[in-house]
Structures are given as C-alpha cells and as structure tokens.
Amino acid sequence: MRVSLEWLREWVDPGQDVPGLANALTMAGLEIEAIERAAPEMSGIVVGKVESVEKHPDADKLRVCTVAAGAETLQIVCGASNVRAGMLAPLARVGARLPDGTVIKKAKLRGVESFGMLCSARELGLSEDGSGLLELPDDLPVGEDLVAALALDDTVFDIALTPNRGDCMSVLGVAREVAAARRQSLNGPSIAQVAATIEDTFPIRLENSGCPKFVGRVIRGLRAGAQSPLWMRERLRRAGLRPVSAVVDVTNYVMLELGQPMHAYDLQSLTGSIVVRAAQAGETLELLDGRTVELSPDVMVIADERAPLGLAGIMGGEASGISDATTDVFLEVAYFEPAAIAGRARRYGLLTDAAQRFERGVDPQLQERAIERATRLLLDCAGGSPGPVTVARTGAGVTQTPSIRLRHERVQRVLGTTIAPDVVVDCLRRLGMTVESSGAPPALNWQVQAPSWRFDVRIEEDLIEEVARLYGFDRIPEVDAVGAQILVECTEARVRTERAADLLVDRGYQEAITYSFTDAASQAVLHPDEPALALANPISAELGVMRVSLWPGLVHALRENQRRQQTRVRLFECGRRFDATGKETEVIAGIACGPVSAEQWDAPARAADFFDIKADVEALLTLTGEPDAFRFVAERHPALHPGQSARIYRGEQAVGWLGAMHPERARRLDLTYPVFLFELETMIGLAARIPKYAEISRFPAIRRDIAVIVADEVPAEALRDVVRESGGALLTEVAVLSVYRGQQIDKGKKSIALGLHLQDTSRTLTDQEADAIVARVVEALSRQLGASIRDK
C-alpha cells in the first residue's frame, strides 16, 4: 500500500518529521517498508505559459513558441503535436537539470535559437506518456517552480500491511491510525449528498447471500473521452496506479481514498437489471484483461438478464467496460462478505486491488458515502446528470462487529505491565470503539464494540493488542519469564539437521528456504509421474500444488541466480516434501552447478562433475558413523541424466537420489549450465550409529595390497563388501586405491587396487596369518565376482 503524505494531509496532520512518523506507524503495526520521493530529482523547471505559436521557417514538424516564464519571456522551439497558445506546460530553462541527468543548454534548431525546452510527462519521469507536452492546470502561477507547484517534493510511504488490517488499505485508514497515535481528529474532504437531476435508475436484484448490500447510480451525459485532472492523475501515479480515463480514474481514486472498491459499467451495454447471483456451471466470462475464464457455481458474479458482466468483487468484464465513447454509466458500490470472495481471485490467477480489499473486509457502512464522493468527482471531471441513489439489501443484512467483554486484570496479565483503566479506555476510544464500563477495581470490566471497519477485532485478546499498539510496545518493560527451564532432549541416534547443514556450509553450500508449494508445470518437468496435492486456496496460480520434492524450489532459486550472472552456485535446503495423500517426509536436498572452486590463481578451473557432488553426499553420510552401510546404485530418474543417476540405499532401503539433471529437463527449465542434484531422507538416511567403546590395539597393523581384474560393470562397492565378509574380524579397513582401464587390460574389464589393513588387539599378526587372510579374500572374489589377480 503506497500512501502519499500530501494526500494524507487532507485528512490529518502528519507533521514534518517523516522518519518519526514512519517509526510511529511501524511501531503501531503498519510497517513502513520504504520511504520514497514522489518524483525524480529535477531542478530549474517552471510553469510556462505558451503565448504564441509560429511555424518553423525550415521544418514542418517544429514550432517556434513564445513562452512566458514569470518575469521573462523566452523563445522555445518545440516539436510537440499538442502545443498551442494559451496552454500551461513545464518549461525547462537554460541550466535546468532533467531527471535523467540532462542539462538544458541554449540551442539552435534548424537555424532558430531555442532558450529552453517544453517538457512531456515522460521527460519529467512522471509517466510513460511522451506523445505530447504535459498540460498543466490553468490555475497554476506562471513562473512558479514546478516541483513546488505540483508538490513533487512529496514523500510516499510504502506500507506492508498484515492480512488482518484491511481497514488500512486506504488513505482514510492510515489517517485513522495517525490520528489515533497522535491524538488528533480526522478532517478530510467534505462528502455531501449529490442531488439527482434526472429520474433514471437501473433495477438491482440480489440473489446471493454473499452480497447483502448493493448501491448503484445512473449518470448520463458524460463528456466522451474525458480525462481526469492532473492532481488526480498525480495521486494515482504516486499510489502505483496508471491513469486511464475520468470514469476509471474516479473509481480507483475513491478506492484508494476511502477503501471502497467500485466498478463502472457502460449503461448502454446493460440489459434488464443488475443481478448478483452464483455463476452457473459452464458459463464463461471475458475479463477486462482480455482473458476468458470458465466459471463455477461457488463463484459470485454480477450479471444482467443476458449474461455475466463481471466476477463479483474481483474484476469486471470486457463487454460492459468503459470506453472512450461512453457517455452513460452505472456505478456499482457493493459490500461483499469476505468469505464469498476469499480465494476466488487466486483460482483464476488474479490479484486485484478490489479482491484484496474485499477478502480482508470492507466497511459495510461505507457504500453510500463512497458513491456520493465518486459522483461529485465524476461530475467535476466529465460533467453529466446523476440519477437517484439505489440501495438494495438482502434480509440477512451485513455482518456486525461483536460486543466484546474486556477485563482490566486480563489486560495487565497478558501485557505483563500495569496500565491504568483510563489509559485503556482512552486507547480504545481513540480507535473509534464504543466502551462501557462495569464493576470496580480489581474486578473492572468493559463492554467494547469495535467500529464497522474493524473486521479483525473479534475476541478479548484482539482488544488487548489494540491497547498495546497505542500504549506503545516500547513502553512495556521486558520481564524475564518465570517458569521451569527445560533442556531440549538431544539424541545420538540421529544426525541433527543443524549438523548436516553446518557440514554443507563448510563444503561451500548456502542454505535456501523455498515455499512448500510450487508451480505445477515446473514440478511436472522434474517429476512427471508423481501426482501432487493441489491447494484449494493457493496464494497464486504459480504456487498451486505442494512440492513432491525440494528440487523445484531449488531449481527456481538457481535459475534466478543464473539470470543474475552467478556461474557458480551451491544451494541446499532442509524441509519437507508431500505426496498426493498429504504425507510429509523430511529431507535434505541440494543443487550445484559451475566450477569446483571459485576462480583463483593457484588452481586451474575445472567444472564440477558427478563425483564431486557424490563426495559432498558421502560426507553427509559419514556423519552417521557407518558410511559403509550406504550404496549408490545406478538407476533411472525422470529428472536425471541416464548415465549419471544413482539411487542411494541404506542396506536394502532406498533413502535418496543423486545425479546430473537431464539436459532436456535443464533446457525446459531455462538453466544454462550442467546441474547436479541430490536429495536424502533424513529420518532413515541420517539415522546415526550410537558410538560404542572399542579397544585400541597396542600391536602393529599389517597392510596387504592386491590388484584384481573384474568386469567393467562390477562396482567397487561390491568388491569391498566381499572383502569385508571374507576377511573376518582381523580385517579392520578396506580402501580402494586406484581404478585402471587401458592397454594392459582386456576390453570390457578394469583393474581395481585394494588396500587391506589387518590387526589384532591381543597380539602381533604373523606374515603367514596375513597371507592366509589375503588368500581367503582372493578366493572369495574369484568365486563370487569372477575376479582374477592382476600380475602385471
């Protein structure tokens, strides 16, 4: 929510201490994310009045203008198509500096001297419109500095509102907070009833309980194609909205000012009456953004007697939209129950200002006031004749805020400090609440009625929070908690997630935190055969399903890094994945691309490969205390390269995957470098062997090295398993020393050198005993794997 302080001053006095105001609002729960200037830096630009326009003697598209700039009159050569005598426009005099850094100098254009430049809105950084000069209001003083004339030195607050504070999604809502915090009264513009000058009305029929109140008005005879005044366009721009036309701008302006979304229909496109109803199965609607959506019965629509006109509380339809030819309009100002709107916009991939406000709750007493405000502004902008206001209500009526019992003792106990009763009452009344007291200390109670715009105040603790906000969180003293200090249980039977994360950080990875929900299409690229759990109410269409692994989120993070020219990326995440039934599995996953190490002078650059990432995974598995329990078995995964894909087993149980991303998948996901992925289930994969005492031998060890030739497809792990099994208790360690393929080895075979460490805890082994163990090992390798001793 972007709020201009110049606009805010119409309602309340925010003072001159901008940082102080920002801090006060933040401490009251309205976090100020950014403080920005309303316009870019510029200087030397004044309000100029074009007194005469002559054709350039040597250029058809240029005009020679005489422009008054206060005490002086200047000759300006201008090429704008809309320049005319009598208009006011921004004049950059010689020496002026534009927002892009350009300094205006005296120039000669086709032989005619020009002592400055008349400016468009684009040249001033005020909009993207560069089609002509920015026309200024006729009442501005000629020669006045433009920054002062248009209040371009205004400050804009970018406010991050929590979902419960829908009442602050307007200038009025923020003004209420400022007034309450600073003990001021609200002023605001006068909003009086606009008398009807014609009798025209349009029938309204409510058939859905989600819309208990609908206010409408017909206005005829508007000037076709009328534009809103500059002051309104500027306020819309500062709030982040693009000006469109007088009718559209007025509805947006009232929404930003009062917090009441509105919609305007071209009256000529309506048939019969306005009907608020549930959509019928199979109905379709073309929205204002050009998309056509299929409606479902749980969606409320605004319709006429022929077809739906718009998604209620979300977006209007193209067929009844306002155009430059529109002269007659029907204004809609409705109240929709939050539950009737919540989630519907996101279902269609929409995030509109109207939906955001209706989902959080709009003041049900605001509609008549909003339509009168919009009528007056529209008549001032585009003329026209208004009809009478029509108000339609259902029998159920709007939801009322509850009456809540508040106990003084409870306030002090929850906040942990002493607050006088009159302070509690003062805080609540400054927020517009009705407070009636009963009882006496220490059993003092109040019955509190929240105002109609505070949908978030429902229970006693909500009132206590409001007292704390206005009293000041910084005034509540810090008190040490009184209670038993219970140490968290720590087990040796499992590697802590924090320890695993520390190891990956030590190996050059950075921890990422991604959403548990993801884009269905991107996830299907990596996991085409795994159904995902769809969200009933996603926050956006791109986050519509639960993740079946952590890879989609990590891939998205990697892609964003690569787009920012990061060639070496190592990311990991600890989190949960979800299957189609909602079952959760805790995993640790990682993604890597780029060179093995950062660029440096003492080592040549080398791209990471499968075995570099396998080493990182093996380091993780070593934390369990029994790395030999794990096996890497070549298996296929849809997301991984067929020749560089391995499934990780602990014993006979699969616990994870490791591999290079399939090149086709990488291309579809817009990744530009070879990418490696791993994922490991932590419950089984990081279960640790509890340490046990083992005696350290006082006697020397004997080492024997052997080189065996086996078929190329026999993994080294299989050799180690056979050696351990046949070597017996005296074999303490088996190490793979080398792997060789070459001219001295038959095609389809390889040579693997193994180092065997032999030791006893009670005596020194003899050579004969060591040779017997080696012979037993060689015989087992030959019998089980077809291995033979390499003799050369």
Side-chain angles (χ1 to χ4, degrees):
M1 175 71 190
R2 294 172 58 84
V3 175
S4 155
L5 295 195
E6 180 263 340
W7 195 351
L8 191 64
R9 283 192 176 89
E10 279 196 356
W11 293 85
V12 71
D13 180 15
Q16 300 302 316
D17 181 7
V18 174
L21 177 63
N23 181 68
L25 287 175
T26 298
M27 293 304 296
L30 278 64
E31 181 186 358
I32 307 300
E33 282 195 321
I35 303 175
E36 304 172 1
R37 286 179 53 89
E41 289 277 2
M42 63 185 82
S43 62
I45 304 172
V46 300
V47 177
K49 181 176 182 179
V50 181
E51 295 187 336
S52 66
V53 179
E54 303 288 342
K55 185 178 179 181
H56 192 287
D58 197 28
D60 293 337
K61 293 185 178 181
L62 296 180
R63 300 289 183 271
V64 181
C65 307
T66 302
V67 182
E72 59 181 337
T73 301
L74 303 174
Q75 178 176 284
I76 306 292
V77 178
C78 177
S81 59
N82 65 333
V83 64
R84 67 181 186 280
M87 74 177 298
L88 268 60
L91 171 62
R93 297 183 293 193
V94 173
R97 182 179 293 275
L98 300 181
D100 64 0
T102 301
V103 176
I104 301 300
K105 300 177 181 178
K106 184 175 71 171
K108 183 175 289 189
L109 302 178
R110 293 288 187 94
V112 178
E113 288 188 314
S114 180
F115 297 90
M117 183 178 78
L118 294 171
C119 303
S120 67
R122 177 189 293 175
E123 289 161 336
L124 298 177
L126 302 181
S127 81
E128 293 301 316
D129 182 14
S131 60
L133 300 180
L134 173 63
E135 295 198 41
L136 301 176
D138 293 337
D139 58 353
L140 293 183
V142 176
E144 184 178 10
D145 184 81
L146 187 71
V147 172
L150 298 183
L152 298 179
D153 55 351
D154 183 21
T155 300
V156 177
F157 280 171
D158 192 350
I159 307 177
L161 295 173
T162 52
N164 64 313
R165 293 309 303 271
D167 62 295
C168 289
M169 297 187 75
S170 64
V171 175
L172 170 59
V174 176
R176 287 194 192 108
E177 290 294 307
V178 174
R182 300 199 165 182
R183 300 178 182 274
Q184 298 178 7
S185 59
L186 281 178
N187 298 315
S190 174
I191 302 178
Q193 289 188 358
V194 179
T197 58
I198 58 175
E199 299 299 322
D200 297 31
T201 60
F202 200 78
I204 303 168
R205 190 168 74 249
L206 306 182
E207 298 181 353
N208 193 298
S209 60
C211 178
K213 183 180 178 183
F214 191 107
V215 179
R217 186 173 218 165
V218 171
I219 303 179
R220 293 189 180 273
L222 300 175
R223 290 193 302 275
Q227 297 296 310
S228 56
L230 180 61
W231 63 266
M232 182 180 292
R233 300 200 303 272
E234 260 301 288
R235 286 185 172 180
L236 292 175
R237 181 190 67 81
R238 296 175 197 185
L241 296 185
R242 180 177 60 87
V244 178
S245 66
V247 177
V248 176
D249 291 354
V250 164
T251 59
N252 284 334
Y253 185 89
V254 172
M255 176 187 69
L256 293 173
E257 183 177 54
L258 302 181
Q260 171 66 58
M262 299 182 61
H263 190 67
Y265 301 90
D266 189 325
L267 188 61
Q268 302 303 319
S269 67
L270 305 183
T271 301
S273 61
I274 287 289
V275 184
V276 183
R277 60 172 173 83
Q280 299 172 5
E283 279 188 316
T284 60
L285 173 66
E286 184 182 2
L287 299 173
L288 284 171
D289 63 1
R291 290 193 300 154
T292 298
V293 297
E294 184 173 345
L295 308 176
S296 56
D298 65 335
V299 173
M300 186 165 46
V301 297
I302 311 297
D304 61 8
E305 301 296 348
R306 293 181 304 176
L309 302 172
L311 292 173
I314 299 173
M315 182 180 286
E318 179 67 26
S320 59
I322 302 300
S323 69
D324 288 341
T326 299
T327 58
D328 302 332
V329 299
F330 177 74
L331 295 181
E332 166 206 313
V333 187
Y335 169 76
F336 299 110
E337 292 286 359
I341 305 299
R344 274 63 169 187
R346 288 188 290 274
R347 182 185 306 175
Y348 296 108
L350 300 171
L351 183 63
T352 65
D353 292 319
Q356 285 184 302
R357 287 163 172 80
F358 282 124
E359 285 181 343
R360 289 161 171 78
V362 170
D363 184 357
Q365 308 300 324
L366 186 59
Q367 290 70 45
E368 292 86 350
R369 191 180 182 196
I371 204 165
E372 297 293 356
R373 176 64 166 158
T375 301
R376 171 47 56 201
L377 290 171
L378 190 53
L379 296 182
D380 292 343
C381 293
S385 302
V389 173
T390 304
V391 181
R393 290 185 171 89
T394 62
V398 299
T399 302
Q400 301 295 323
T401 56
S403 179
I404 306 169
R405 176 171 173 256
L406 177 64
R407 296 163 289 174
H408 184 229
E409 176 272 333
R410 178 69 174 166
V411 172
Q412 298 185 120
R413 184 152 60 91
V414 170
L415 298 183
T417 189
T418 301
I419 301 180
D422 58 332
V423 173
V424 174
V425 173
D426 177 60
C427 289
L428 296 175
R429 285 178 175 165
R430 281 153 55 193
L431 291 167
M433 300 186 187
T434 303
V435 184
E436 296 180 1
S437 61
S438 62
L444 179 61
N445 299 324
W446 298 280
Q447 205 65 30
V448 182
Q449 181 84 39
S452 57
W453 58 82
R454 289 303 299 272
F455 279 73
D456 59 315
V457 178
R458 286 288 180 266
I459 60 176
E460 187 175 25
E461 282 69 21
D462 293 334
L463 294 173
I464 295 172
E465 179 187 357
E466 295 304 298
V467 171
R469 286 197 314 111
L470 253 65
Y471 180 75
F473 290 114
D474 53 341
R475 295 176 60 190
I476 298 175
E478 294 184 11
V479 179
D480 292 335
V482 178
Q485 302 298 312
I486 302 174
L487 295 177
V488 178
E489 186 177 298
C490 186
T491 177
E492 290 184 282
R494 184 171 178 270
V495 177
R496 292 183 303 112
T497 302
E498 295 82 357
R499 175 68 185 94
D502 287 344
L503 181 138
L504 288 174
V505 169
D506 291 342
R507 297 182 71 89
Y509 287 76
Q510 297 186 47
E511 185 171 10
I513 300 176
T514 66
Y515 285 117
S516 295
F517 21 84
T518 187
D519 176 45
S522 298
Q523 180 160 269
V525 173
L526 296 170
H527 304 277
D529 302 324
E530 293 189 51
L533 183 65
L535 296 176
N537 187 20
I539 61 174
S540 75
E542 292 77 22
L543 299 171
V545 297
M546 301 301 291
R547 62 188 180 191
V548 299
S549 84
L550 272 57
W551 288 351
L554 291 172
V555 165
H556 176 76
L558 172 62
R559 183 168 58 245
E560 294 303 309
N561 275 275
Q562 288 188 345
R563 287 174 177 172
R564 288 159 178 79
Q565 300 177 314
Q566 300 301 307
T567 58
R568 183 180 185 274
V569 178
R570 302 286 189 278
L571 297 173
F572 77 94
E573 181 174 9
C574 307
R576 293 178 179 178
R577 69 186 185 201
F578 306 81
D579 65 15
T581 67
K583 178 186 174 183
E584 303 178 15
T585 304
E586 187 173 315
V587 297
I588 184 168
I591 192 167
C593 76
V596 174
S597 57
E599 187 174 6
Q600 54 181 310
W601 63 270
D602 66 341
R606 180 176 69 84
D609 59 24
F610 174 89
F611 295 101
D612 292 311
I613 311 307
K614 181 172 180 280
D616 295 332
V617 176
E618 288 178 326
L620 269 180
L621 302 180
T622 301
L623 295 176
T624 66
E626 48 181 10
D628 293 339
F630 294 89
R631 296 180 293 124
F632 294 82
V633 180
E635 292 188 17
R636 287 179 176 266
H637 186 288
L640 301 178
H641 192 294
Q644 299 185 55
S645 170
R647 195 154 196 183
I648 307 170
Y649 286 85
R650 185 168 195 171
E652 298 303 317
Q653 190 163 4
V655 296
W657 284 95
L658 163 69
M661 184 181 290
H662 195 293
E664 175 61 21
R665 301 289 192 271
R667 184 191 63 79
R668 291 172 60 184
L669 293 170
D670 197 25
L671 300 176
T672 56
Y673 304 102
V675 176
F676 299 91
L677 298 159
F678 69 83
E679 187 171 82
L680 185 69
E681 295 182 17
T682 59
M683 186 59 67
I684 302 171
L686 292 183
R689 182 183 65 186
I690 297 177
K692 294 182 179 179
Y693 169 77
E695 182 181 355
I696 299 176
S697 177
R698 296 181 292 112
F699 300 96
I702 297 177
R703 171 170 169 166
R704 291 287 190 269
D705 294 346
I706 60 174
V708 296
I709 298 174
V710 294
D712 213 13
E713 62 271 13
V714 176
E717 186 67 31
L719 290 174
R720 294 207 303 174
D721 289 344
V722 172
V723 171
R724 289 194 195 96
E725 182 181 355
S726 58
L730 298 180
L731 178 66
T732 59
E733 183 181 350
V734 182
V736 177
L737 304 179
S738 66
V739 178
Y740 173 75
R741 296 177 181 89
Q743 296 179 351
Q744 299 178 7
I745 305 296
D746 293 341
K747 186 176 182 181
K749 293 184 178 295
K750 61 185 175 184
S751 170
I752 298 181
L754 301 172
L756 283 62
H757 294 254
L758 308 171
Q759 191 175 33
D760 195 349
T761 58
S762 60
R763 60 191 176 87
T764 301
L765 294 178
T766 65
D767 288 339
Q768 291 78 11
E769 290 173 317
D771 292 342
I773 294 173
V774 171
R776 190 165 68 243
V777 167
V778 170
E779 189 275 331
L781 290 172
S782 175
R783 175 167 40 85
Q784 298 184 36
L785 300 177
S788 61
I789 292 293
R790 180 184 173 189
D791 53 7
K792 57 179 179 179

